[in-house]
Amino acid sequence: MEQIRYIWTDGSNKDFQRFYLSAEEYYSSLVGGVQNRLGFIPYNISDSIGTVLVTYIGDIAVGCAGLKAYSETDAEIKRIWVEPDQRRKHIAEDMMKMIEEKARQSGFRRTVLQTREAMREAVLLYEKLGYLRIENYPPYDKLDGAVCFAKEL
């Protein structure tokens, strides 16, 4: 079995950019097309994500997770993605824990994130990791279908 490696980078990383596009296509397919998520797209621009974790198995990138400041106390987790053929190996769970630790080390007191009910596996993962559903925070408070979570660090 090849070793899993985690690399810290930023939103300009080419593997992260590729996963960003894969995730966009996947999310659109879940909700019946890009027209059903137009309101979400402006808040998911990859270049705005300053801290990125990319996961590799051998030399192949298989997943990513992003982190950016939301407020003085809250860090927002963005773009958790694992390639479909690499899922169920705890990669997303490991990345979430690493992202949370990075947020804690950076002085944040809480992590927040947004997803949609259609993302059942993601919702279950977040709940398993101790995230609690919160009132939708801006800009997601004005978008139908958004659900938000938070975890105290």
Side-chain angles (χ1 to χ4, degrees), residues 126-139:
Y126 302 144
E127 290 172 343
K128 174 184 175 185
L129 293 174
Y131 282 78
L132 301 175
R133 196 169 294 210
I134 59 171
E135 191 169 315
N136 288 359
Y137 55 89

Side-chain angles (χ1 to χ4, degrees), residues 96-104 111 131 151 153:
M96 287 289 294
K97 291 175 181 175
M98 293 172 76
I99 283 282
E100 290 168 3
E101 182 57 31
K102 179 69 87 172
R104 186 180 297 108
T111 49
Y131 282 78
K151 181 177 179 178
L153 299 173

Side-chain angles (χ1 to χ4, degrees), residues 42-148:
Y43 307 111
N44 291 320
I45 304 302
S46 58
D47 289 344
S48 71
I49 302 172
T51 302
V52 169
L53 182 63
V54 180
T55 303
Y56 294 86
I57 296 180
D59 292 330
I60 308 298
V62 298
C64 67
L67 185 72
K68 67 183 220 177
Y70 179 77
S71 70
E72 274 189 31
T73 58
D74 292 348
E76 186 177 25
I77 295 175
K78 304 290 289 182
R79 288 294 176 221
I80 303 298
W81 178 259
V82 176
E83 290 286 78
D85 65 341
Q86 298 297 323
R87 293 180 184 165
R88 309 225 182 310
K89 297 180 180 181
H90 304 285
I91 294 170
E93 186 173 339
D94 291 345
M95 287 190 303
M96 287 289 294
K97 291 175 181 175
M98 293 172 76
I99 283 282
E100 290 168 3
E101 182 57 31
K102 179 69 87 172
R104 186 180 297 108
Q105 291 171 355
S106 298
F108 294 102
R109 296 198 297 263
R110 184 172 83 150
T111 49
V112 297
L113 58 87
Q114 174 275 324
T115 190
R116 292 175 75 137
E117 285 293 347
M119 302 288 298
R120 272 318 296 150
E121 291 180 10
V123 169
L124 291 172
L125 173 64
Y126 302 144
E127 290 172 343
K128 174 184 175 185
L129 293 174
Y131 282 78
L132 301 175
R133 196 169 294 210
I134 59 171
E135 191 169 315
N136 288 359
Y137 55 89
Y140 306 110
D141 57 341
K142 294 178 177 41
L143 294 173
D144 288 339
V147 290
C148 294

